[in-house]
Amino acid sequence: MSYFVPEVLAPAGSLDKLKVAILYGADAVYVGGQKFGLRTAAENFTLEELKEGVNFAHERNAKVYVVLNSFLHDKDLDELPDFVRYLEEIKIDAVIVSDLGVVKTVAEHTKLHIHISTQASVLNVESAKLWKKMGATRVIVGRELSVKESGIIKREAGLEVEMFIHGSMCMAYSGNCVISNFTQGRDSNRGGCAHSCRFEYSIDFGLKDKESIKAYFMSSKDLEGIRVLPEFIKEEIDSIKIEGRMKSNLYAGTMSKTYKEALDYYRDNGDFLSEKMLMWESELGKVSHRDYTEASLVDKAGDSSIYNERENSNDNEWKSIGHVVEASDKAGIIIEVRNAFNQGDELEIIPFKGEILKITANEIMSMMMNPITRTKPSTLVKLPYHRGAERFNLVRAKGSK
Amino acid sequence: MKLTTYAQSLHDLNIIKENGLDEVLLGHKEFSRLGKLSDDEFIQLSARARELGLSPIFEWDILMTETEFPSLAQKIITLKEHFTEIRLQDPGALEFTLTKMDSKIQWITENGNHNLFGLKHWEDYIGPRLSRLVLSIEIPKLSLTEYIKELKTPVEILGLGRILLFYTPRSLLSPLVKNSDDPVTKTMLQSETFEALGESEESPHKGFPLVENRHGTFMFHIKEFCLLDYGAELASLGLSYFRIDLRPSSLTDNLPKVKALTTEFSTEGFDAFKDTYPQDLMRGFYLVNKTDVLFPKLKNSRLVRKDEGYVGEILDVAKSEYAVIQLKGKVKLKVGDNLKFIHPEGKEYIVPVVWMKATDLTEITEAQENQLILMNTMNGLWVRGQAYLA
Ligand code: SF4
C-alpha cells in the first residue's frame, strides 16, 4: 500500500542547484528568470538554462515552476508576454505570480498553470476562491497560516495548496514590507529587500527614567516543519516548499534529500518512526541556519519565534566542502572545493539516496596528479575513487579549518 | 477633489463637518489595522455622522487568517446598516463582501498594484459596486496621471499621513517588556495599543514609530507622506479623493490648515504648516520612482551566461600549467578553436585551444557538454571566468 504524501518543492537559484535539488529527490523546483522574480541578486536562469533545466527535470519526472512574483510596474509588463510564451513553449509546469496584472497577462497569452505566490498573502478560503476565479490552480498560502487552516482552504476553495515548510522567514506579512523601498530606495517587492528586519534596534518606549532596549526585535527564526509532516499529510497539502534560492548547493541538496526521504518513508510505511525523525532532524541541523521555529504551522507564532540574536553559525553545523564534479574509476573523485580541507580530514559524501559515504582524505591530488596536503577554495582536487560517489554529490566535513 | 479623513470621537466628527467634508472613515478596532472604536463607539459615531450629513465609511483593512475570518465575516453583517460604504484590503474580505453583502466597495490597492492593466482587471472584477480605488503612494505622478484618466472609477491617494513600512501579525514590542516589574510598564502592557520608537545603527534613519495592537506590529517611516503642495496639480489631473490621516497628530489643529491649503495653496501657508506640524514630511516617489535602478548592481552581469556561443566555466587554474573548464553549453570544443574568456571584473582574454586532456589525463581533440577538460592557460585566466567561442 502506498500513502498520500505532498510534493517536495525545492529552491533552485541556478542551473547547478536545480540539478542538485532534483537529483537529491525534489519533486519540483522553483526558479527565476533574469527578470520578474524577487531574488534579483540570485544568479537566476537565462532562456537557454531554463530550457535545459526543464529538460533535465522532466527526464526525471520532476517539475519546474518559474517565479514571476514581483509587483511589476507598467514598463515591466511590456516584456512579459514574450517571456511567458517562451515558458509555455519550453513546457514549464507553472508560473508563480502575485500581481493581478501578471496573472491576467499570463492567462491572456498562455495556458500555463498559475500558482498564486505567498507575496499575495492568501490567508483565508474567500481569498483563495477569488484567486481561483482569476485563473489560479494553486495558492501558496501565507506563512501566517497553520497546516490545519490551509487544509480548510484546500477543501473549501477547491484548489491546490502549497505551504512553506522550511527556511528563512519574512517577519512581515509577505508583500507587506516596504522598509527597503523607503529607506534604501530598493523595491523589496521587486527583489531589492535589504533585510532591515535583521538589524539590531534600540526601542524607546518613552517611559520616564527607562533606557531604550536593544533588540533584534523584528527578526524571525527560521522555519522547520519536519515534525509537522503528519499534519501536512493529514490535511493533504499538495506541496511543501523549501525557501532559499540564494542558498548553497549543500542546502538545496540536504533539504531535498531529507524531506524526500522522510516522505518516502511515510509513503511506504504510513508513519514516521521516531528514531528516523531524530536522524532527519539532525541532518537539517547540519546546514547553516538561524535557530529553528515551527512558526505558525501548528499554533500562531509567539515570542519564541523571534530570533533576538546577531546572525551566527551554529556549533553542530557542518561545513560544505564542495561538490563532486566527476567520479569515475579512471579519474577518481574530482571535487570542486568550496571550503579548504586537509590531508587526513574525515569527509562525508552525501549520495542522492541512502547512507552517507564516509571517507578519509589520505590521498589528495591536483588535476595533474601532484600530491596536495592542504586544499584551497576555488580549485579542483582528486581523491581516489569510491563506489557510490557521483557527479553533483555534495561533500561536507565537520570542523574543517 | 474631496478630502477624506478618520474620526475617532464625536468631537472629530464636528471638526470634519465644519471643514466641509462629506464622508468620514471609521476604524473599528476588530477590523481596522489602527482602528480603536468598539462596537458601541462605532455605532454611535456612525449615527452621529449621518445626523451631520457625513457618509460613514467602514474600514476593514486587516489581513485575516482562516481562523479569524468567519467570526469577523459574521459580525460585519450585523454592522452593515451602520455604514454606507466599506473599504477593503484583503482579497478574502473583498470576495466575501461581493458575494454576501451589497455595500459599495472602496478597494485598497496600496500594496503593490503598480500597473494599470491589473487595476483595470480589479475594476472589471468588482464591477458596478466599486465606488473607489485607493492607489499606492509608490505610483509616481506620470503613471498616476494615466491611471486617473484611464480608470472608470474615482481614485484616492494619501495626501498626508504616516507611511506604513511593515505589518506583521506577530507581537514584537510586548515581549521586550513583558517581564518588567515596573508599574508604568505593566499599565502600558494592559492598554490595547502601545507605541515606541525604534532606531538602528545600521540605518541612517532614526526614530521609526512602532505600534503594537491586537492585529500585530506596525512600523512607520520617520517622516510622514505629504502631497499638499501638489494638491492643485492632483485636482487638475482629476484625482477624486485626497486622504488626510491625522490620527497621530491633532485633527482639530491640522484639518482646517489642510483644508485651507487644498482650497487655495500658498507657499507661505505651506511653510507655516510644515513649521508647526509635529512630523517632518516627504513626498516619497511622487516625482519619480527609481526603486529598481540599483538592481543591476546587486548582481555581476558578467557572470550571467549569454547563451550564444557559450562553452562553459573555468573551475580551476594552475598558473602557466593548465586551466580546467566545465563544458556547459551546447557547442563542441575542438583543438584549434579560439576561446573568449569573460571574467567577473570585466577583463576579457582570447585563448586558442592548443591542447586538451580528459580528466584521466589522456589527450583529446574534441569535447562536448558536461565534460570536464584540462587545456592550456595564459596569465590572467581565473576561476569563474566564462568561456565563449570567439
Ligand atoms: S526586511 Fe525583512 S520583513 Fe521586510 S521584506 Fe525583507 S525579509 Fe521581509
Side-chain angles (χ1 to χ4, degrees):
Chain A
M1 179 164 174
S2 149
Y3 297 86
F4 164 83
V5 292
E7 157 191 279
V8 174
L9 174 56
S14 67
L15 188 54
D16 271 1
K17 283 179 203 166
L18 173 147
K19 292 177 180 173
V20 166
I22 290 172
L23 291 168
Y24 277 103
D27 301 299
V29 291
Y30 59 102
V31 307
Q34 291 298 323
K35 287 181 184 166
F36 313 120
L38 277 184
R39 295 290 169 265
T40 314
E43 287 170 57
N44 290 325
F45 287 62
T46 64
L47 298 180
E48 195 55 43
E49 284 174 322
L50 278 172
K51 194 168 159 189
E52 193 180 328
V54 173
N55 291 340
F56 184 91
H58 288 178
E59 280 162 15
R60 290 159 184 83
N61 287 323
K63 292 181 176 166
V64 180
Y65 307 142
V66 173
V67 180
L68 307 172
N69 62 348
S70 280
F71 289 166
L72 297 186
H73 290 219
D74 298 277
K75 67 173 166 34
D76 305 321
L77 278 185
D78 294 346
E79 294 172 45
L80 191 60
D82 282 350
F83 184 61
V84 293
R85 276 193 290 262
Y86 176 77
L87 297 182
E88 185 171 46
E89 196 183 302
I90 63 168
K91 301 198 166 36
I92 284 287
D93 298 282
V95 287
I96 300 173
V97 179
S98 58
D99 178 279
L100 184 58
V102 182
V103 171
K104 290 296 176 186
T105 306
V106 173
E108 256 179 33
H109 295 273
T110 72
K111 291 195 165 51
L112 284 167
H113 284 284
I114 297 172
H115 297 175
I116 300 299
S117 162
T118 194
Q119 281 285 101
S121 279
V122 178
L123 298 168
N124 46 62
V125 171
E126 294 295 325
S127 177
K129 282 182 181 168
L130 179 145
W131 287 111
K132 188 179 174 187
K133 287 185 192 165
M134 297 292 187
T137 52
R138 175 186 288 192
V139 287
I140 303 154
V141 294
R143 278 175 263 215
E144 295 74 20
L145 288 187
S146 66
V147 182
K148 204 168 169 190
E149 289 174 309
S150 307
I152 298 173
I153 291 178
K154 178 183 159 88
R155 288 188 295 279
E156 293 192 12
L159 77 184
E160 290 182 9
V161 165
E162 176 180 314
M163 288 189 81
F164 277 94
I165 192 166
H166 199 102
S168 300
M169 292 183 79
C170 223
M171 179 59 94
Y173 278 117
S174 290
N176 282 266
C177 173
V178 287
I179 304 178
S180 304
N181 306 41
F182 283 93
T183 61
Q184 317 234 359
R186 284 163 49 167
D187 190 344
S188 52
N189 293 315
R190 281 189 292 169
C193 164
H195 301 286
S196 314
C197 62
R198 305 289 179 194
F199 297 170
E200 187 184 40
Y201 288 83
S202 298
I203 309 298
D204 179 0
F205 285 92
L207 299 172
K208 238 172 131 191
D209 307 326
K210 291 270 173 293
E211 288 198 354
S212 42
I213 297 169
K214 285 199 166 206
Y216 297 88
F217 80 111
M218 61 198 302
S219 175
S220 178
K221 287 182 183 170
D222 287 354
L223 180 65
E224 186 200 64
I226 188 119
R227 287 207 169 258
V228 194
L229 278 178
E231 277 286 304
F232 282 90
I233 292 165
K234 186 173 145 216
E235 298 296 338
E236 298 196 356
I237 301 304
D238 297 277
S239 180
I240 55 168
K241 181 173 205 161
I242 297 155
E243 177 277 344
R245 277 191 286 145
M246 300 284 283
K247 293 187 176 148
S248 65
N249 286 9
L250 182 64
Y251 175 90
T254 309
M255 295 302 142
S256 303
K257 179 177 161 83
T258 310
Y259 280 101
K260 183 64 177 173
E261 275 186 4
L263 289 177
D264 279 354
Y265 187 87
Y266 186 92
R267 193 195 52 219
D268 297 341
N269 299 285
D271 64 11
F272 293 104
L273 218 57
S274 49
E275 86 199 40
K276 287 259 179 202
M277 189 54 90
L278 284 174
M279 186 192 79
W280 294 319
E281 248 178 343
S282 144
E283 282 301 297
L284 297 177
K286 288 176 182 173
V287 180
S288 166
H289 63 279
R290 301 177 188 95
D291 290 352
Y292 283 138
T293 171
E294 284 175 2
S296 298
L297 290 178
V298 180
D299 296 313
K300 263 192 184 316
D303 304 357
S304 63
S305 67
I306 299 167
Y307 186 60
N308 191 1
E309 280 174 48
R310 184 164 285 286
E311 310 270 306
N312 59 357
S313 60
N314 221 295
D315 282 350
N316 53 5
E317 279 167 15
W318 286 50
K319 189 170 278 185
S320 166
I321 287 303
H323 73 276
V324 175
V325 287
E326 194 176 310
S328 67
D329 241 350
K330 278 183 177 173
I333 300 174
I334 303 176
I335 297 173
E336 185 181 355
V337 181
R338 192 186 150 104
N339 285 298
F341 64 96
N342 296 325
Q343 191 175 31
D345 280 354
E346 304 288 336
L347 305 182
E348 290 193 351
I349 298 182
I350 310 172
F352 300 133
K353 272 191 166 177
E355 299 288 298
I356 305 285
L357 200 63
K358 295 179 193 275
I359 59 170
T360 309
N362 288 329
E363 221 182 296
I364 314 173
M365 299 288 180
S366 76
M367 291 299 287
M368 279 294 193
M369 299 306 283
N370 299 316
I372 296 173
T373 53
R374 179 170 170 74
T375 63
K376 288 191 214 142
S378 299
T379 57
L380 297 178
V381 297
K382 286 184 177 181
L383 303 180
Y385 181 63
H386 280 73
R387 218 144 60 100
E390 288 178 80
R391 184 173 177 206
F392 288 115
N393 276 172
L394 301 162
V395 188
R396 69 186 178 196
K398 188 159 180 134
S400 185
K401 302 264 167 5
Chain B
M1 184 177 75
K2 293 178 176 176
L3 300 186
T4 186
T5 193
Y6 291 88
Q8 302 188 93
S9 65
L10 291 169
H11 175 70
D12 286 351
L13 288 176
N14 292 333
I15 305 292
I16 291 167
K17 179 67 189 167
E18 280 163 21
N19 283 281
L21 278 63
D22 54 19
E23 69 173 26
V24 59
L25 308 175
L26 297 175
H28 185 292
K29 65 181 174 187
E30 290 173 46
F31 292 84
S32 161
R33 295 178 183 194
L34 302 172
K36 291 184 175 169
L37 303 175
S38 64
D39 285 352
D40 288 347
E41 286 165 337
F42 162 68
I43 290 168
Q44 192 190 20
L45 258 66
S46 126
R48 179 65 186 143
R50 281 188 164 141
E51 280 167 22
L52 291 170
L54 296 167
S55 170
I57 314 294
F58 188 87
E59 183 173 66
W60 184 9
D61 67 344
I62 56 162
L63 302 178
M64 293 147 290
T65 64
E66 184 50 34
T67 305
E68 293 145 1
F69 194 90
S71 61
L72 288 166
Q74 275 206 325
K75 183 160 187 172
I76 194 77
I77 304 262
T78 66
L79 293 174
K80 73 176 181 189
E81 65 190 84
H82 301 287
F83 54 83
T84 48
E85 298 193 9
I86 188 165
R87 43 202 287 141
L88 307 165
Q89 186 145 9
D90 184 318
L94 173 62
E95 186 64 14
F96 177 83
T97 306
L98 277 172
T99 52
K100 310 275 180 352
M101 291 166 69
D102 53 13
S103 323
K104 286 271 182 196
I105 294 167
Q106 300 181 4
W107 179 227
I108 305 173
T109 59
E110 284 185 308
N111 197 41
N113 294 291
H114 296 148
N115 57 77
L116 183 60
F117 189 62
L119 289 166
K120 282 186 167 176
H121 275 286
W122 282 125
E123 269 190 333
D124 289 348
Y125 186 70
I126 303 171
R129 286 174 56 194
L130 179 65
S131 62
R132 189 178 309 177
L133 277 169
V134 182
L135 300 189
S136 158
I137 56 168
E138 290 178 70
I139 298 172
K141 182 169 103 183
L142 213 62
S143 306
L144 200 57
T145 310
E146 190 196 353
Y147 294 4
I148 292 169
K149 208 163 77 200
E150 294 283 327
L151 292 166
K152 296 175 280 191
T153 317
V155 166
E156 172 190 310
I157 59 163
L158 179 65
L160 175 68
R162 281 177 168 183
I163 300 169
L164 179 61
L165 296 182
F166 170 93
Y167 170 21
T168 178
R170 297 195 226 180
S171 301
L172 302 183
L173 296 176
S174 49
L176 300 175
V177 286
K178 68 174 183 192
N179 295 324
S180 169
D181 298 330
D182 170 48
V184 184
T185 311
K186 280 186 167 168
T187 314
M188 179 185 81
L189 278 170
Q190 276 157 12
S191 59
E192 290 202 326
T193 299
F194 58 98
E195 307 205 0
L197 291 175
E199 62 183 56
S200 170
E201 282 173 12
E202 292 171 80
S203 165
H205 304 82
K206 304 293 171 213
F208 292 102
L210 299 158
V211 175
E212 182 182 308
N213 64 19
R214 63 170 66 210
H215 303 303
T217 309
F218 303 85
M219 182 198 240
F220 299 90
H221 200 281
I222 56 166
K223 292 184 183 175
E224 284 192 19
F225 187 75
C226 173
L227 291 183
L228 292 179
D229 40 346
Y230 295 94
E233 179 176 271
L234 286 160
S236 73
L237 293 178
L239 181 74
S240 303
Y241 292 91
F242 217 25
R243 188 170 75 260
I244 307 299
D245 184 355
L246 293 166
R247 283 176 293 181
S249 52
S250 159
L251 194 74
T252 316
D253 290 350
N254 293 306
L255 192 58
K257 295 178 194 167
V258 169
K259 178 72 187 173
L261 283 168
T262 48
T263 309
E264 198 173 333
F265 183 81
S266 76
T267 313
E268 305 77 56
F270 186 51
D271 288 344
F273 174 76
K274 284 193 288 187
D275 286 345
T276 55
Y277 196 70
Q279 291 295 326
D280 286 342
L281 302 172
M282 68 189 284
R283 60 173 175 249
F285 305 112
Y286 179 65
L287 294 183
V288 63
N289 184 335
K290 286 189 181 168
T291 48
D292 58 350
V293 288
L294 287 170
F295 291 174
K297 292 191 186 142
L298 297 180
K299 175 162 63 184
N300 189 338
S301 60
R302 294 181 199 101
L303 293 178
V304 177
R305 90 183 202 191
K306 292 156 201 68
D307 291 326
E308 207 172 316
Y310 184 63
V311 173
E313 182 176 343
I314 306 180
L315 296 190
D316 191 9
V317 177
K319 257 192 188 160
S320 70
E321 231 188 311
Y322 61 87
V324 187
I325 320 286
Q326 173 75 68
L327 301 193
K328 293 179 170 179
K330 298 280 172 227
V331 295
K332 270 194 180 150
L333 183 65
K334 294 190 271 310
V335 170
D337 285 343
N338 282 320
L339 284 180
K340 176 159 93 175
F341 289 94
I342 303 177
H343 276 59
E345 77 291 356
K347 286 201 175 131
E348 296 188 1
Y349 303 90
I350 304 279
V351 183
V353 183
V354 180
W355 58 264
M356 286 199 289
K357 285 183 182 187
T359 47
D360 60 2
L361 302 184
T362 51
E363 296 273 348
I364 51 174
T365 54
E366 209 177 85
Q368 60 190 14
E369 193 182 359
N370 289 326
Q371 246 181 294
L372 197 60
I373 57 124
L374 288 78
M375 63 170 276
N376 49 293
T377 184
M378 69 179 280
N379 269 349
L381 288 199
W382 196 239
V383 172
R384 298 211 72 190
Q386 302 294 313
Y388 296 85
L389 277 185

